[in-house]
Amino acid sequence: MINILFSARAAQWPVYRAPLETAFAEKGLEFTLTDHTDSPETIDYLVYAPAREDDDLSVYSNLKLIQSLWAGPDKLLKNKTLTQPMARMVDPGMTQGMADYVFGHIMRHHLEVDRFTNAKPGDWLMDWAPPLPAERTVAILGIGALGMACAKVAHDYGFNVIGWSRTQKDDAPFACYAGAEGLEKALREADIIVTLLPNTPATEKVINEKTIAQMKDGAALINPGRGQLIDDDAFLAALNSGKISGATLDVFHTEPLPAEHPYWHHPNVLVTPHVASETRVDTAARVVAENIARVEKGQNALHLIDPALKY
Ligand code: NAP
Ligand code: GLV
């Protein structure tokens, strides 16, 4: 019998409970599942989306795995009491949702929709037709679980796609670059840039004055990754000068984005409130069950966060 603790916002427990129980039973696990315990040392697995950042994780002294319900590990890694192995969420439902969001906003910039939403009544902007997708280059910075899915959708649709990651990828159906030189190459070629990197010390402010200068004049940027990827002062200056023609921003240094923040008021910025994609309960419950079953069989958990790389 394994003991599983669900620890998240109170409202999530009634939503997750039955799908998790079903998924655990389907995997043949013998389990107890609860949302509270007076004996944390008896807990084998923690299904986790912390309601607070200062949880004391040291009380779970016999934990085999923390399975996060979030894709991004940055908030979780801030917890100084974390010593146990932790897996991030890689959920097919979330991946599909992210591909929808990113492709939709690629199309917004590709079709230059803002040209028309910002037009005045009577502006009859007939002298422009969008180039074909093959004439647009989309650079996806971060081609992990989410970025790769988005890149494939854009590639299959006909865009010229470039991927950029920490390690070189050789098996993608489009060009992939790595490292600082690879980033510069991707930025110089891209019309539309998507940032789907995790927030780590190595990715902080990857979009900064120097990298913006490497971009094509008039490039557009979509950021569903994390706000910390962008140096906001440099980015706003580039929006104001027209170097960056438009942006779709879903994530911010401070969330909710304060009402007075210039992003809200910029005509070429679309702010979405950290809704690019979320964990979907049914598919995620099966991912949690699969990972727990693997550990029970003595196999490595999937999608473990590397404490050194911070993702
Ligand atoms: P992932 O599978 O871990 O992929 C991360 C990608 O970033 C990998 O391709 C990785 O390279 C690359 N990378 C990491 N550090 C790098 C560096 N220093 N230089 C270049 N590339 C680097 O993560 P994921 O599941 O795709 O999620 C990505 C992020 O999306 C999350 O961390 C989270 O911040 C964000 N997110 C946002 C929402 C939302 O609603 N807005 C929802 C979910 C997730 P390698 O392939 O070489 O390892
Ligand atoms: C959402 O931003 C996540 O990291 O799951």
Side-chain angles (χ1 to χ4, degrees), residues 71-74 88-90 94 98 142-147 164-167 169 196-200 202-203 224-226 250-251 274-278 311:
D74 46 350
R88 70 203 164 79
M89 177 51 65
V90 176
M94 176 191 276
M98 186 59 84
I143 40 171
L146 299 175
W164 182 70
S165 52
R166 187 179 58 81
T167 55
K169 307 273 181 286
L196 260 169
L197 297 156
N199 169 28
T200 72
T203 62
R226 283 290 184 263
D250 186 56
V251 283
H274 202 143
V275 292
S277 191
E278 65 176 11
Y311 76 97

Side-chain angles (χ1 to χ4, degrees), residues 21 23 45 50 128 136 163 168 175 181 237 253 299:
E21 285 174 346
Y45 296 94
W128 179 84
R136 293 265 199 217
Q168 180 62 41
E181 272 178 31
H253 287 260
Q299 299 169 348

Side-chain angles (χ1 to χ4, degrees), residues 155-205:
H155 168 77
D156 289 350
Y157 190 73
F159 286 104
N160 179 36
V161 171
I162 297 171
W164 182 70
S165 52
R166 187 179 58 81
T167 55
Q168 180 62 41
K169 307 273 181 286
D170 294 319
D171 53 355
F174 45 81
C176 288
Y177 307 147
E181 272 178 31
L183 177 60
E184 179 169 354
K185 216 163 157 233
L187 295 180
R188 287 202 188 284
E189 293 177 34
D191 300 294
I192 301 170
I193 297 154
V194 180
T195 41
L196 260 169
L197 297 156
N199 169 28
T200 72
T203 62
E204 194 178 349
K205 296 193 179 169

